[in-house]
Amino acid sequence: MINKLKREKASKIRLITKIDNSLEVLDETERKVIEYRLIKGYSWIKVSTLLNINNDYCGKIKKKAINKISNKIWVKEQYI
């Protein structure tokens, strides 16, 4: 049981490290949108007000940022 918990902990630590590293590929605006919306849980109205960006455009920025970081976190295997 303890070994299983240790493996799970190590797996979570690796995932956190991957997420931290993936955030480095984002520009400042993308990072702020992710921080405000997904980490702090702000509404789209508040995010757009803080960043002085159109509400709909914030959503597009978030989608682009998520695509960028997901490629870094979840390695996609290529078969030749």
Side-chain angles (χ1 to χ4, degrees):
M1 181 67 163
I2 291 177
N3 286 333
K4 181 181 177 186
L5 291 174
K6 285 180 181 180
R7 285 191 306 273
E8 287 180 18
K9 179 183 176 185
S11 176
K12 300 290 183 195
I13 290 171
R14 282 192 304 273
L15 180 58
I16 290 169
T17 302
K18 284 182 179 181
I19 292 169
D20 286 342
N21 291 339
S22 70
L23 292 175
E24 293 176 9
V25 303
L26 301 180
D27 66 34
E28 186 65 25
T29 303
E30 292 167 335
R31 202 177 351 255
K32 289 289 187 186
V33 168
I34 295 296
E35 176 188 348
Y36 292 157
R37 180 68 180 160
L38 301 179
I39 297 171
K40 293 186 176 180
Y42 293 170
S43 69
W44 281 120
I45 294 170
K46 186 168 184 176
V47 173
S48 64
T49 301
L50 288 170
L51 297 176
N52 197 26
I53 298 174
N54 177 284
N55 211 10
D56 294 330
Y57 189 56
C58 282
K60 290 178 183 179
I61 292 171
K62 183 194 105 184
K63 184 176 180 179
K64 180 181 170 189
I66 293 294
N67 286 334
K68 277 182 171 180
I69 63 176
S70 67
N71 290 333
K72 297 286 184 185
I73 296 171
W74 311 113
V75 177
K76 298 175 183 173
E77 295 183 23
Q78 295 182 359
Y79 297 96
I80 299 174

